[in-house]
């Protein structure tokens, strides 16, 4: 008698909206290239239904999920254990469900950003001066890994200064441990220029002006937008016009997915190859 094969392990991305997410395509390709047997779905979750959405998914046998807007803070609150990165940023983009019912949360956004800058773009962060623009959830998720990557100085610039100050305060101990200088400013108060500028605001999405003056760009510096596609275009055009090297967040997306895949499956997928394929397809 032949037994039927076990169904593939189930994963998903939860968000609202979630239709735009490229995570299903990325994880399907990772699975194909590594030979891992898994199915990865996209799940639209009601704005007031995150905890129920997670319970339903676990009841169906779900092994892990990625979390996108606006649930990254709720995901952190739902977890039973979490990484230091989650504790520091207060937000999670990956959940892993164990058979004893426990939920582990991690945040791989910052690892993805650092990997894309240092490995894919081949721009070192150690000893460099970095400007992080924005102080919302996206900025909070990457500040810890930027400090751990050895940046010499990080300025967090935000329209609402109090939010930048709060982010600097919550990361002050890590900055001191890393011997990095960490300061909060309004965009108007920026006087220095930087080796790496990272846009973590939603300004391009809103069609607004780039929220910092071009004087922040050192000649030939890397100007990185954590968005990709049309949402990043305004910032990338501005960077190119002012002599910077522009880069969008597609590589960050692929690399954060690779870190999640590694956490779930114990196998590191060939992320550089998948990024190259996606860049060619666009
Ligand atoms: P996310 O999770 O994507 O970071 P968020 O937590 O709402 O979203 O944060 C959005 C960030 O983009 C904030 O830093 C916000 O600035 P404020 O804290 O002053 O609101 C920034 N932002 C959004 N639109 C902007 C604009 N038009 N100009 C400058 N900054 C903007």
């Amino acid at each position: 008698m032949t037994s039927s094969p076990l169904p593939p392990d189930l994963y998903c991305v939860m968000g609202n909206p979630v239709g735009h997410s490229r995570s299903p395509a990325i994880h399907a390709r990772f699975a194909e290239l590594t030979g891992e047997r898994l199915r990865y779905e996209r799940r639209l979750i009601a704005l007031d239904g995150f905890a129920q959405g997670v319970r339903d998914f676990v009841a169906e046998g779900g092994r892990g999920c990625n979390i996108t807007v606006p649930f990254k803070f709720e995901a952190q609150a739902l977890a039973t254990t979490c990484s230091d990165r989650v504790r520091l940023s207060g937000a999670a983009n990956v959940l892993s469900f164990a058979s004893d019912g426990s939920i582990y949360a991690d945040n791989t956004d910052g690892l993805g950003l650092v990997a894309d800058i240092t490995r894919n773009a081949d721009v070192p962060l150690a000893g460099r001066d970095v400007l992080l623009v924005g102080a919302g959830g996206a900025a909070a998720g990457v500040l810890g890994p930027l400090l751990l990557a050895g940046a010499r100085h990080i300025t967090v610039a935000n329209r609402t200064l109090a939010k930048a100050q709060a982010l600097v305060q919550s990361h002050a101990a890590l900055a001191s441990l890393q011997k990095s200088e960490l300061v909060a400013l309004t965009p108007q108060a920026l006087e220095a220029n930087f080796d790496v500028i990272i846009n973590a605001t939603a300004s391009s999405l809103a069609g607004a002006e780039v929220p910092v003056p071009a004087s922040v760009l050192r000649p030939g510096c890397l100007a990185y937008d954590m968005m990709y596609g049309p949402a990043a275009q305004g910032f990338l055009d501005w960077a190119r016009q002012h002599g910077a090297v522009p880069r969008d967040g597609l590589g960050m997306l692929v690399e954060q997915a690779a870190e999640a895949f590694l956490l779930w499956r114990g196998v590191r997928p060939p992320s550089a190859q998948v990024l190259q394929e996606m860049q060619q397809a666009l």
Side-chain angles (χ1 to χ4, degrees), residues 134-136 156-170 183-188:
V156 181
N158 197 48
R159 191 171 62 170
T160 310
L161 180 62
K163 281 167 71 179
Q165 285 170 330
L167 206 52
V168 163
Q169 177 110 46
S170 62
V183 301
L185 290 175
T186 60
Q188 295 78 19

Side-chain angles (χ1 to χ4, degrees), residues 69-70 72-73 133-140 157-161 163-164 187 199-212 226-227:
V69 282
K72 290 185 181 182
F73 298 106
V133 187
N158 197 48
R159 191 171 62 170
T160 310
L161 180 62
K163 281 167 71 179
N199 186 18
T201 72
S203 60
S204 304
L205 258 189
E209 297 254 302
V210 172
V212 290
M226 284 169 54
M227 304 261 180

Side-chain angles (χ1 to χ4, degrees), residues 8-275:
D9 294 337
L10 181 61
Y11 296 87
C12 76
V13 53
M14 295 187 184
N16 186 336
V18 78
H20 65 284
S21 173
R22 289 176 191 263
S23 292
I26 294 171
H27 283 283
R29 188 68 180 129
F30 285 168
E32 203 171 30
L33 290 168
T34 57
E36 291 290 304
R37 287 191 73 236
L38 60 88
R39 189 156 61 89
Y40 190 106
E41 297 176 348
R42 187 182 272 126
R43 292 213 167 183
L44 178 67
I45 303 294
L47 289 175
D48 61 353
F50 180 68
Q52 188 59 47
V54 170
R55 278 195 293 272
D56 292 346
F57 185 64
V58 172
E60 288 168 44
R63 302 279 293 267
C65 63
N66 284 125
I67 310 296
T68 185
V69 282
F71 300 121
K72 290 185 181 182
F73 298 106
E74 274 184 82
Q76 176 265 340
L78 201 68
T80 40
T81 53
C82 67
S83 67
D84 286 345
R85 288 185 287 271
V86 169
R87 253 184 295 274
L88 203 55
S89 64
N93 74 327
V94 186
L95 294 178
S96 186
F97 309 118
S99 50
D100 65 0
S102 62
I103 302 178
Y104 176 73
D106 202 349
N107 192 327
T108 61
D109 284 333
L111 298 179
L113 174 71
V114 167
D116 190 46
I117 291 176
T118 58
R119 287 210 304 263
N120 301 333
D122 204 19
V123 172
L125 283 166
R128 310 303 284 279
D129 298 334
V130 177
L131 174 63
L132 180 61
V133 187
V142 301
L143 183 53
L146 287 170
L147 286 165
L148 287 167
R152 185 178 73 120
H153 172 104
I154 301 180
T155 292
V156 181
N158 197 48
R159 191 171 62 170
T160 310
L161 180 62
K163 281 167 71 179
Q165 285 170 330
L167 206 52
V168 163
Q169 177 110 46
S170 62
H171 287 72
L174 178 61
S176 149
L177 209 64
Q178 291 294 109
K179 300 192 171 36
S180 300
E181 196 183 3
L182 180 60
V183 301
L185 290 175
T186 60
Q188 295 78 19
L190 285 166
E191 284 177 351
N193 58 16
F194 299 84
D195 301 304
V196 177
I197 289 91
I198 299 162
N199 186 18
T201 72
S203 60
S204 304
L205 258 189
E209 297 254 302
V210 172
V212 290
S215 56
V216 299
L217 300 168
R218 239 168 236 177
C221 70
L222 178 71
Y224 196 104
D225 198 313
M226 284 169 54
M227 304 261 180
Y228 58 89
Q233 209 50 55
F235 179 84
L236 300 182
D237 290 344
W238 169 85
R240 198 176 291 110
Q241 279 158 19
H242 293 95
V245 177
R247 187 170 179 90
D248 73 9
L250 190 63
M252 173 180 173
L253 180 76
V254 174
E255 295 296 348
Q256 65 75 28
E259 295 291 339
F261 194 93
L262 175 65
L263 175 76
W264 291 329
R265 310 299 300 182
V267 178
R268 183 173 282 286
S271 48
Q273 176 186 340
V274 174
L275 174 58

